[in-house]
Amino acid sequence: MNAAIQNMLTRRSIRKYRPDPVPEQLLEQIAEAGEYAASGMGRQSPVIIAVTDKAVRDELSAINARITGREGDPFYGAPAVLVVLADRSVPTHVYDGSLVMGNLMNAAHALGLGSCWIHRAKETFETEEGKALLKKLGIEGDYEGIGNCIVGYADEQREPKPRKSDYVRYVK
């Protein structure tokens, strides 16, 4: 089987991470894969914020947790977060950002790392605290949060759920 397809078939969302930092060179490769995601008319509406600074990572986690109304770390202990935002003025911004998220997760898996899409990026950056964080990071523009791609070394093995029998419907 083709290696790229095998990678997609074996990737799982990881919800338990070792505390080991992710080497910068690996994060750069993952982010580059995100940069090459397809986008509507090639407009490249998304931006990726690669967060390894523990204080910023923990601030993002805390905002995300408050949105859910739960305690704990919604980033499952992952040491790195690749936040995907997309320019609201581009009609395909949500789809563009979603494709970036897919590329990030597949690239992480190909490099031996775990990842998971953590929602509530939209809500995070609609809060005053989230807007202030973007400003502090020098991110200007009318961006919508698409997703948080947490990345790190997996501390669990996950098996795939069986696929539903009518997932693909062929028209011949």
Side-chain angles (χ1 to χ4, degrees), residues 106-125:
N106 282 315
H109 181 58
L111 294 171
L113 295 163
S115 68
C116 189
W117 181 327
I118 304 298
H119 286 286
R120 296 170 297 281
K122 179 180 190 299
E123 295 85 350
T124 294
F125 296 107

Side-chain angles (χ1 to χ4, degrees), residues 11-18 57 70 73-78 105 113-120 150-161:
R11 192 207 71 77
R12 300 285 166 264
S13 292
I14 301 300
R15 293 179 183 87
K16 187 176 180 189
Y17 294 85
R18 298 191 329 240
R57 179 249 182 250
R70 296 186 211 154
D73 178 17
F75 294 165
Y76 301 107
M105 292 183 292
L113 295 163
S115 68
C116 189
W117 181 327
I118 304 298
H119 286 286
R120 296 170 297 281
I150 59 173
V151 178
Y153 290 99
D155 197 17
E156 69 173 352
Q157 296 292 322
R158 296 185 63 93
E159 294 299 319
K161 291 182 180 178

Side-chain angles (χ1 to χ4, degrees), residues 42-59:
R43 288 188 178 131
Q44 301 176 34
S45 67
V47 295
I48 302 166
I49 305 170
V51 179
T52 55
D53 178 277
K54 184 165 176 19
V56 174
R57 179 249 182 250
D58 290 350
E59 184 177 355

